[in-house]
Amino acid sequence: MAKRRANGDGLMRKRSDGRWEGRIVVGHKENGKPIFKSVFGRTQKELLPKLEQLRRDYAGADLTEECRMPLGEWLEQWLLEHGQRLRPATVDGYRYCIRLINQHLAAVPLDQLKKPDVQKMYNALLDSGLSSSTVRSVHMMLHEAMDAAVRKNLIVRNPTTKATLPKKEYAPVQVLNNEQLERFLNEIRSVPAWHDLFYVELTTGLRRGELCGLRWEDFDESAGRLCVRRTISYRHGKLCVGEPKTESGVRSILLPQSTADLLRNRKRTVQSEWIFPAQSDSNLPVHPESAFNAFKRILKKADLPDLPLHALRHTFSTQAIAAGVDPKTLSSILGHTNASFTLNTYTHVTSDMQKHASDIIGDMAETILGKDLTPWLN
């Protein structure tokens, strides 16, 4: 049996076409045969630095023969393995990203995928009209999949590392202003079937699926606390009960007195394990789309702007920041991963607060120093 060749072992030879070829061993097939990588030059002198760079690039590599698997095939294999641990909605999002990637790079072998190929795809996706957030989502998923390929010895390094990404853009949040909020609250009083659900949403800022997934076991009546433990979604006509969007999504919220009282009263009348059961079957939670449709009807009846249901979460957050709730506390209430995300999402409120603070400081400085000594306020 032939001796297994060491990784990095190689040779130089002059080919029949006159070029010089240098190649090294970068891994082995299942039968023990070596996997080679080659570089070429017109002369031996031209080849030498290329060969040295190749050795540096593949130092410590021990690839398997699956390194030549097409990217599209690898992404499907990776998602099949990795998707078992993901929320259904996340899997759907990843499948959408894979479809976008496959339009450009599906047939490229893993070991031949380079950073310029990835960058060219990102640029093409942007040029096609996709948003910067979508391109960043594609990058996030592809980076994760290629990290897994590195761990499986399919590639030496992740070709998505240090790719240039479009600047992250935050879409302006949609909220009910104070006058609209008052009209909305007046309107839901005339809709008993939905009043409690929307009132709880306005005073907690829960995500739609989290709100629909509340059970009475999540409500601590004596402490006035609500625990968020699950989220409800419907996929392909089936009810899915899953975990909140992030690890920080599992949280305990101290309720305002009015909300705690509302739930205490509601508990005496609702005969279901769900705080907000489906109107057609109390054994099931309310369908998120039913809540969405009811919200739209209420907006129309109250002659309010056509907003997404998520606007109630944004309205709660905006009101909380304006009332002086610090971003770190609000971040934990909302289930955000960190306070910086909360600040970036609600910059329109924090900017107003900064302006208010500046005015206070300016008035104080003017009183103490006089107008002539405060030119930086002009």
Side-chain angles (χ1 to χ4, degrees), residues 66-82 98 102 106 108-110 113 141-155:
E66 289 184 319
C67 67
R68 289 164 184 165
M69 181 192 308
L71 175 62
E73 183 180 335
W74 163 245
L75 292 177
E76 289 296 333
Q77 179 179 313
W78 169 78
L79 186 59
L80 186 64
E81 297 173 0
H82 184 62
I98 289 173
N102 284 346
V108 178
L110 283 176
L113 184 65
M141 190 225 72
L142 182 58
H143 183 83
E144 191 174 353
M146 300 313 285
D147 266 351
V150 172
R151 292 193 296 272
K152 284 183 172 287
N153 291 323
L154 301 180
I155 54 176

Side-chain angles (χ1 to χ4, degrees), residues 209-354:
E210 294 171 344
L211 184 67
C212 296
L214 292 173
R215 290 190 173 114
W216 286 116
E217 67 186 27
D218 304 323
F219 176 50
D220 185 335
E221 190 172 353
S222 60
R225 279 190 173 274
L226 197 61
C227 290
V228 181
R229 296 188 176 101
R230 72 194 66 79
T231 186
I232 295 294
S233 62
Y234 279 80
R235 298 181 71 246
H236 312 300
K238 293 183 179 180
L239 172 69
C240 297
V241 181
E243 296 179 351
K245 187 175 181 181
T246 62
E247 288 185 10
S248 52
V250 178
R251 59 202 188 276
S252 175
I253 301 172
L254 180 62
L255 298 172
Q257 187 64 47
S258 61
T259 308
D261 288 342
L262 178 149
L263 290 179
R264 290 186 186 106
N265 292 331
R266 182 177 178 82
K267 190 174 182 180
R268 299 189 187 101
T269 60
V270 173
Q271 303 300 313
S272 173
E273 66 173 316
W274 304 98
I275 293 181
F276 302 111
Q279 295 178 20
S280 59
D281 185 349
S282 62
N283 293 316
L284 297 175
V286 63
H287 196 303
E289 282 302 307
S290 296
F292 172 81
N293 293 332
F295 178 64
K296 291 292 186 178
R297 290 195 299 270
I298 291 170
L299 290 179
K300 187 174 182 179
K301 189 176 178 182
D303 195 25
L304 290 169
D306 185 22
L307 300 173
L309 181 53
H310 209 68
L312 295 186
R313 176 173 163 89
H314 290 321
T315 299
F316 162 79
S317 306
T318 298
Q319 293 287 335
I321 291 180
V325 177
D326 67 277
K328 187 173 182 179
T329 299
L330 180 59
S331 176
S332 67
I333 294 172
L334 295 173
H336 285 166
T337 304
N338 52 61
S340 63
F341 179 82
T342 307
L343 281 170
N344 287 332
T345 304
Y346 300 106
T347 51
H348 65 294
V349 187
T350 52
S351 295
D352 290 343
M353 292 171 68
Q354 289 172 357

